[in-house]
Amino acid sequence: MSAVDTPEAPQLSTKRERVGWYFYDWANSAFSTTVVTVFLGPYLTSIAEKAAGCDGDACDTAVIHPLGIAIAPGALFPYTVSLSVFLTVFVLPVVGAIADRSPRKKQLLALFAYIGAAATAGMLFLTGDRYLLGAALFLVANIAFGASVVVYNSFLPQISSEEDRDRVSSFGWAFGYLGGGLLLLLNVVAVLMQDTLGMTTGEIARYSIVSAGLWWAGFTTIPLLSLRNRPPQEAPAKGVNVLTDGFRQLWHTLKSLKAYPLTLFFLVAYLIYNDGIQTVIALASQYGTKELQLSDDVLVPTILMVQFLAFAGALLLGWLAKRYGAWKTLLGSLVLWTVIIVIAYFLPAKEPLLFVALGGGIGLVLGGSQALSRSLFSQLIPKGREGEYFGIYEISDKGTSWLGPLLFGLAYDTTRSYRVAIISLLVFFVAGFLALLAVPIRKAIEQAGNTPPARL
């Protein structure tokens, strides 16, 4: 076994492998950006409204009945996002435990990536009033997406040292926003040219969603060629297969968290504030369309701008973390998130310039807050258990939040007001800030058996 193949020497990872790792962010961000953030929410809502026999404002009292449950058409997408997370609670930690014990981690990444991409491309058949098909495909795609990112994140401690972790993580996020933004740019061009193309807004949305699945599958080949499998630090017990051992290890992980209470405390803080971040990402398009009454000509280019600003913002916050410490920089980003939610509540309808300005603020804090959360958490994990811990971490990451969409959906379902729904998200950023502030981060890193970087 060579030195570069051992997990004890992550600093010896090659530049080629790190660039390949960045490219999975480039590949999967198409799903987050084009599908979750922009097109699927409004498109699935329009499908549900058609099934309810109404359109737009006429849907204030209409209902649909998925699985016999009466809900407002506008609540279908947030409820579906919430359900997907409920299911991932049982899936992702097991995936992480399996990844830690498998000598074929790269192949696991491929399996989940291609399942998610196939489900996304399958939305080609999401037409008419087939809202149940759309919800089912999204459930599969979102769960597979989360599972693939668990495996992907577990590579981070193996390809970067403690001192370099913030930079590598920030580059990954930045690369992802650049890739997601590039595909969205192509879809924006299609939206602006829909009359020339002879297509309706719905057809553009559907083909844009399908393009994200193809993009995701195509660019996943790059990390699969670059990343290297490493021998697991702990193999499954003799006579026990990896899947069975994964379930056993999940229970062991949950029990072992008691030995790392500060890691658990950070995880709780992250789950709180990241629920708010992911809900904003997933439902911003629906809020802009339904409450602010903005057309796709305004909405889609604004979200595109957010992607490229998030690229710059991830690098900017990475630089600030190097100068002032990741923990302090992350706390500052949560203050900005709180301000953004308050502004969104008071934002008047049909004012595109104000919406664009708000999007600029989101872009500057979006990528950085996520990148620094990932790099901080990676330093709170005992060595050799990256996959199982990132499995728990990933439950609330990248559009798989649970409480946020549920609260948003309940607030809208009860009041039929998107403004009440959006302001309800304040609780996640305020509570998350206070919880993160209470974490003694240097002590938490040392408690996990790792060496703290010079600045925190």
Side-chain angles (χ1 to χ4, degrees):
M1 185 190 306
S2 65
V4 294
D5 288 329
T6 62
E8 290 82 3
Q11 69 274 15
L12 297 183
S13 173
T14 64
K15 180 179 180 181
R16 177 178 179 270
E17 185 176 24
R18 288 191 294 274
V19 171
W21 184 80
Y22 299 153
F23 256 102
Y24 189 66
D25 242 326
W26 172 287
N28 70 51
S29 289
F31 176 77
S32 294
T33 303
T34 292
V35 179
V36 180
T37 305
V38 180
F39 288 106
L40 186 59
Y43 184 64
L44 188 57
T45 300
S46 69
I47 295 287
E49 289 175 346
K50 184 179 295 185
C54 65
D55 183 25
D57 294 337
C59 289
D60 287 345
T61 59
V63 296
I64 54 175
H65 298 85
L67 306 180
I69 303 171
I71 64 171
L76 175 65
F77 183 61
Y79 281 164
T80 304
V81 173
S82 184
L83 177 59
S84 73
V85 163
F86 177 76
L87 297 175
T88 62
V89 167
F90 304 99
V91 174
L92 300 192
V94 175
V95 169
I98 292 171
D100 282 339
R101 278 153 177 72
S102 173
R104 298 180 178 86
K105 185 185 292 188
K106 186 168 66 172
Q107 285 75 13
L108 278 177
L109 177 64
L111 173 66
F112 294 120
Y114 289 134
I115 288 175
T120 304
M123 293 187 195
L124 176 67
F125 304 103
L126 181 55
T127 56
D129 59 358
R130 301 173 183 170
Y131 66 89
L132 283 178
L133 174 64
L137 287 172
F138 177 73
L139 285 175
V140 173
N142 211 22
I143 293 170
F145 172 86
S148 73
V149 175
V150 168
V151 182
Y152 165 71
N153 281 342
S154 71
F155 278 98
L156 177 60
Q158 297 177 335
I159 64 172
S160 61
S161 65
E162 287 86 351
E163 292 294 336
D164 208 31
R165 199 75 49 79
D166 291 340
R167 185 185 68 83
V168 173
S169 183
S170 295
F171 263 92
W173 277 106
F175 217 60
Y177 280 111
L178 191 61
L182 181 58
L183 178 63
L184 185 57
L185 174 61
L186 299 176
N187 290 325
V188 166
V189 172
V191 169
L192 298 177
M193 294 179 61
Q194 67 182 62
D195 291 337
T196 303
L197 296 173
M199 301 172 68
T200 65
T201 301
E203 288 173 330
I204 292 291
R206 183 160 57 94
Y207 286 119
S208 294
I209 291 168
V210 172
S211 74
L214 299 178
W215 179 283
W216 185 1
F219 282 105
T220 293
T221 58
I222 297 177
L224 295 181
L225 292 173
S226 304
L227 290 171
R228 291 172 293 158
N229 286 321
R230 291 166 168 81
Q233 290 196 349
E234 181 180 347
K238 188 175 182 180
V240 178
N241 65 40
V242 174
L243 179 61
T244 303
D245 201 54
F247 280 99
R248 182 191 64 80
Q249 185 56 38
L250 169 60
W251 176 243
H252 179 71
T253 301
L254 295 176
K255 291 195 299 182
S256 73
L257 274 172
K258 293 186 296 185
Y260 305 101
L262 297 181
T263 298
L264 178 60
F265 203 94
F266 175 89
L267 185 60
V268 170
Y270 171 76
L271 293 177
I272 294 171
Y273 69 75
N274 193 58
D275 259 336
I277 293 174
Q278 297 305 325
T279 306
V280 172
I281 294 172
L283 301 174
S285 180
Q286 189 173 357
Y287 183 74
T289 301
K290 299 299 181 180
E291 180 62 39
L292 302 182
Q293 301 174 39
L294 298 172
S295 67
D296 286 344
D297 291 350
V298 174
L299 189 67
V300 179
T302 300
I303 296 177
L304 173 64
M305 176 198 71
V306 169
Q307 301 306 306
F308 289 108
L309 282 178
F311 166 78
L315 298 180
L316 173 63
L317 266 67
W319 177 81
L320 290 174
K322 186 176 181 180
R323 187 177 180 88
Y324 300 107
W327 181 66
K328 295 175 184 175
T329 305
L330 183 56
L331 285 168
S333 75
L334 296 181
V335 173
L336 294 177
W337 273 111
T338 303
V339 173
I340 285 168
I341 293 297
V342 173
I343 293 174
Y345 175 79
F346 289 106
L347 202 66
K350 299 180 180 179
E351 290 290 344
L353 291 181
L354 294 178
F355 182 76
V356 170
L358 181 67
I362 292 175
L364 288 177
V365 296
L366 177 59
S369 57
Q370 294 175 313
L372 295 180
S373 296
R374 179 171 64 183
S375 62
L376 269 178
F377 185 71
S378 72
Q379 298 179 59
L380 304 178
I381 301 173
K383 292 185 184 301
R385 302 175 68 182
E386 295 83 6
E388 60 185 272
Y389 274 75
F390 268 119
I392 298 173
Y393 175 91
E394 186 60 23
I395 287 173
S396 188
D397 197 16
K398 275 197 167 184
T400 55
S401 56
W402 171 30
L403 293 176
L406 179 61
L407 179 60
F408 188 99
L410 287 173
Y412 176 76
D413 212 7
T414 303
T415 67
R416 300 296 173 120
S417 170
Y418 283 105
R419 292 190 186 274
V420 173
I422 200 72
I423 200 65
S424 69
L425 302 181
L426 269 182
V427 64
F428 295 102
F429 295 106
V430 174
F433 173 88
L434 294 175
L436 182 61
L437 184 65
V439 178
I441 200 69
R442 184 175 297 276
K443 183 178 178 181
I445 295 173
E446 293 172 344
Q447 187 182 80
N450 298 318
T451 303
R455 292 185 183 276
L456 286 171

